[in-house]
Amino acid sequence: MTASLSADTLKKVKDRSQRGTLSDQRQLVRGDTGKWNDSATLQHAPAIQQKPQGMSLDDWADELAEKKPATTASDDNWLLFRTRHLDDNDRVWIEKIERSGNTFTITMHEAIWQGNYFKTFTYYEVTAVNLGKLPSGNYTVKWIVKPLIFKQLEKPREAQNNYHTNWPLDDQPGSVQPVELKAAFSVR
């Protein structure tokens, strides 16, 4: 999504094969790295070209949280979302990106595995979404994480190897309430 989202835009996953396509970049951070996220986080970021070469999205998000850089109308605007800690069979994907004026709403699904585990590791995902160049003004973002549950992956023997392409087959709504994160930023 390198082009700007016009003032009234809707991008939506239309079928299972498109899952994962609304994220511009995704990174898994394994639980054994010593980092831990009990809750999801959302932040605005300037042009990803400003990220030092070789630096991970996760480390860049940490660096930006300390600096809080300003963004101008000539910069691309990015959202960095970190999930809470999940298990290796759990899956997340952006289902929908909406823009109405200066308000963005991103809907993400978090599908939690309900089957048996034989061997597992934990991780969280860092997802980057490019909102493009935006005119000067104040913007708000609402990121909604909708819970799902499932017991069957498309390729069950390849749960870890094909994380970005191995999706739940039988996902259905979960019993917990959706999580909503909000952010605000200005473009000068």
Side-chain angles (χ1 to χ4, degrees):
M1 265 194 333
T2 54
S4 290
L5 295 171
S6 60
D8 293 305
T9 303
L10 171 65
K11 292 186 179 239
K12 186 174 182 174
V13 170
K14 294 182 171 98
D15 62 54
R16 289 184 187 283
S17 67
Q18 293 180 328
R19 288 180 176 181
T21 61
L22 293 182
S23 302
D24 290 292
Q25 291 188 24
R26 299 168 68 194
Q27 174 197 356
L28 292 184
V29 179
R30 286 184 56 124
D32 59 6
T33 60
K35 292 186 174 185
W36 192 266
N37 279 344
D38 286 325
S39 359
T41 60
L42 172 65
Q43 66 190 102
H44 173 255
I48 209 158
Q49 292 81 2
Q50 294 178 15
K51 177 175 74 74
Q53 189 169 5
M55 180 180 274
S56 71
L57 279 176
D58 189 49
D59 289 340
W60 189 48
D62 286 341
E63 185 177 287
L64 290 173
E66 295 172 12
K67 293 181 179 178
K68 304 213 187 294
T71 307
T72 67
S74 64
D75 295 324
D76 276 355
N77 289 270
W78 289 75
L79 297 175
L80 298 176
F81 180 83
R82 292 192 236 192
T83 68
R84 66 184 177 91
H85 244 79
L86 302 166
D87 287 315
D88 60 342
N89 284 354
D90 300 339
R91 297 292 188 263
V92 294
W93 65 94
I94 295 173
E95 185 73 17
K96 184 170 42 172
I97 300 173
E98 297 174 87
R99 178 177 177 195
S100 178
N102 287 6
T103 301
F104 294 90
T105 303
I106 291 93
T107 303
M108 172 180 264
H109 286 292
E110 178 184 83
I112 304 300
W113 172 257
Q114 301 297 299
N116 295 326
Y117 284 101
F118 299 102
K119 181 176 158 185
T120 186
F121 69 88
T122 60
Y123 76 96
Y124 60 91
E125 180 174 300
V126 182
T127 300
V129 174
N130 185 358
L131 302 176
K133 292 177 182 15
L134 299 170
S136 297
N138 296 318
Y139 294 86
T140 58
V141 177
K142 181 169 48 170
W143 193 294
I144 303 164
V145 181
K146 291 188 173 182
L148 299 172
I149 57 172
F150 74 101
K151 289 185 179 178
Q152 187 177 2
L153 284 165
E154 293 171 340
K155 302 171 226 165
R157 294 187 185 269
E158 300 176 27
Q160 294 171 295
N161 298 336
N162 292 325
Y163 176 81
H164 292 292
T165 60
N166 191 3
W167 301 108
L169 280 177
D170 61 343
D171 50 286
Q172 54 190 300
S175 61
V176 296
Q177 293 296 312
V179 173
E180 188 175 300
L181 284 83
K182 294 182 180 181
F185 64 92
S186 296
V187 176
R188 300 173 201 260

